[in-house]
Amino acid sequence: MAEHSKYYRPIQYLGSKIRVVDTIVKECQKLHTPENYVLDLFSGSSIVAQSLYNNGMNVIANDTMSFSSDIAACMLNQDRKECSISNVEAFVSGMVSLHTLPQKFMEFSSLIEKERQLLDKKDLLGLKVLYDNLSQVGSDRQASLQVDYIRKHAGCSAINNYPLFANYYAGTYFGIRQALEIDILRNAIETEWNQKCDLWERKMLLTALYNTCSIIVHSVGKHFAQPIQINGEENKITNTRLFENRNYNVFDVFKTCIMNIISSIVKNDINSTSYSLCMDICSPTFRKLIADKNVDVIYADPPYTAQQYSRFYHIPEVLHSYKYPKLQMFRGKYTQGIYPEEKYKSPFCSKIKAKGAFEFIFDMAQKHDCSLIVSYSESKKQKTGNERMVTLEYLLQLAHKKLPHHSLSKINFDFDYRQLNRSDKIVENKDDKEILLIFKKQ
């Protein structure tokens, strides 16, 4: 929920800048002039963008992932109107009408009741059997009529159709009832509300739903790389957390998220000149779009390991589009993470493409004649479990070439960079410290 008076954290985001955000803001303030923009190239959960905005700076927040762009647009008050909050509150008040299952969801009604009984009894084995026998798009069990239809209609919208989350993620990331309630809310945002609401209201409701999913999901670290598997050890901490996570009521959590977001942004000026984009920064379209913007500071927190963030956040991305994804298969089987086949792959996470991608950032700073701040984690050990695609030395060489008249300062933080690997791949004896590189325009 809301963890800090300066921002609202809607999802658990890997590489979040919570511990360093005050320093980033302070350094941006030194380089920024009020009439210009700070460009946050990789906004993620929008923590940095929010903090810059709440400290009086004009912000352009960008991310290639649509759900991240929604979050930033919500928290930066993009296109918010005087009546927007009261309209959202009216939506919340009318949610009681959503508790009745639509006709196309009724197939799950007996399963919801069975799940409720098993949760009440804390019957771990019974839940495992129930979930293992569900017909799901990502399972090899005999397909139900709904699953068969969905597999034949991959890429089509799930609005007013068979529930997406219940047929993909029930029994794994979420409970059966929870998955259906997510489907109900997502449909309501698109149908019952979308005809009436403005852009900000829609993105605000979606942000609250992303927030809800992040709170209730049954996965390590509350991201979406893989669900936690149920095993027979009743006292195992993950099984204890299963019951905690499954007992969340989606509607109640969603309402709380709405109220927390409102309390975080209500004090802010609705006449915001800050805004959010959802683009690949290496694309010609992005360069054209910001060519006439007065950007005097670029902040970049790019990915720079082989770990693709789209693997960790594919579920909120599917929630944004709400189209039936075609699932990735490996050696003839669906992946445990239930990943979509077409996930975005960042060039910053590719050994072949990373150097060229980083050049785009420095070219951008050169073209706009602005200061550049880069977050980076230097790997001091040969093996860290997360090899960097570019070295610190390369970044400094690139700066010398592209920004020869900029001065350099470096801030070292005294905590470790969090690795993204599974537990058996994490290197315990490491010394990976996060740093901030500040290239100041003279």
Side-chain angles (χ1 to χ4, degrees), residues 421-437:
N421 299 73
R422 67 179 192 264
S423 58
D424 62 325
K425 294 292 184 181
I426 290 177
V427 175
E428 297 297 337
N429 183 24
K430 64 185 179 68
D431 187 19
D432 303 342
K433 301 298 184 182
E434 188 158 348
I435 60 178
L436 204 62
L437 300 171

Side-chain angles (χ1 to χ4, degrees), residues 32 34-38 53 56-61 76-80 269-276 293:
H32 175 68
E35 66 274 12
N36 294 336
Y37 279 93
V38 178
Y53 171 70
M57 285 172 264
N58 296 320
V59 182
I60 302 172
L76 297 178
N77 286 302
Q78 182 177 341
D79 298 316
R80 181 180 145 206
D269 182 8
I270 64 171
N271 298 312
S272 173
T273 54
S274 295
Y275 59 94
S276 172
K293 305 300 179 188

Side-chain angles (χ1 to χ4, degrees), residues 351 378-388 419 421 425-432:
K351 276 189 175 181
E378 185 178 13
S379 178
K380 294 185 179 180
K381 301 289 184 184
Q382 287 186 339
K383 295 287 185 180
T384 65
N386 253 320
E387 184 182 357
R388 279 35 173 179
Q419 299 181 63
N421 299 73
K425 294 292 184 181
I426 290 177
V427 175
E428 297 297 337
N429 183 24
K430 64 185 179 68
D431 187 19
D432 303 342

Side-chain angles (χ1 to χ4, degrees), residues 47-219:
I47 297 300
V48 172
Q50 288 182 55
S51 297
L52 294 168
Y53 171 70
N54 290 342
N55 279 275
M57 285 172 264
N58 296 320
V59 182
I60 302 172
N62 178 73
D63 203 281
T64 55
M65 302 193 80
S66 299
F67 81 92
S68 289
S69 182
D70 288 341
I71 291 169
C74 167
M75 303 313 299
L76 297 178
N77 286 302
Q78 182 177 341
D79 298 316
R80 181 180 145 206
K81 297 180 173 62
E82 290 282 359
C83 61
S84 294
I85 288 180
S86 59
N87 288 343
V88 169
E89 289 172 338
F91 178 85
V92 173
S93 298
M95 278 173 49
V96 64
S97 65
L98 302 178
H99 288 248
T100 303
L101 288 181
Q103 186 60 40
K104 289 187 176 180
F105 292 26
M106 290 302 293
E107 182 176 311
F108 291 88
S109 57
S110 61
L111 295 172
I112 293 173
E113 180 56 32
K114 180 65 175 175
E115 181 185 46
R116 180 72 268 156
Q117 293 172 2
L118 293 170
L119 287 171
D120 288 344
K121 292 188 293 184
K122 293 193 173 182
D123 186 344
L124 189 66
L125 180 60
L127 280 172
K128 179 173 171 55
V129 171
L130 174 66
Y131 293 152
D132 284 349
N133 285 285
L134 286 178
S135 177
Q136 293 279 281
V137 178
S139 74
D140 297 320
R141 289 177 288 281
Q142 183 176 357
S144 66
L145 290 176
Q146 290 195 14
V147 166
D148 185 57
Y149 172 90
I150 290 170
R151 285 175 177 166
K152 292 175 181 176
H153 291 81
C156 296
S157 173
I159 298 298
N160 292 328
N161 209 331
Y162 294 126
L164 189 159
F165 269 57
N167 281 297
Y168 280 84
Y169 310 124
T172 50
Y173 287 102
F174 308 102
I176 301 169
R177 174 182 58 84
Q178 291 175 327
L180 282 166
E181 289 173 349
I182 293 168
D183 282 312
I184 288 170
L185 283 169
R186 184 64 184 88
N187 273 274
I189 291 170
E190 205 67 34
T191 56
E192 296 186 25
W193 191 248
N194 193 35
Q195 311 241 335
K196 313 171 194 173
C197 72
D198 59 31
L199 179 66
W200 181 84
E201 291 168 28
R202 183 174 183 274
K203 290 183 182 294
M204 196 271 207
L205 293 169
L206 286 173
T207 296
L209 198 50
Y210 303 143
N211 195 173
T212 300
C213 290
S214 182
I215 291 168
I216 72 173
V217 66
H218 187 55
S219 66

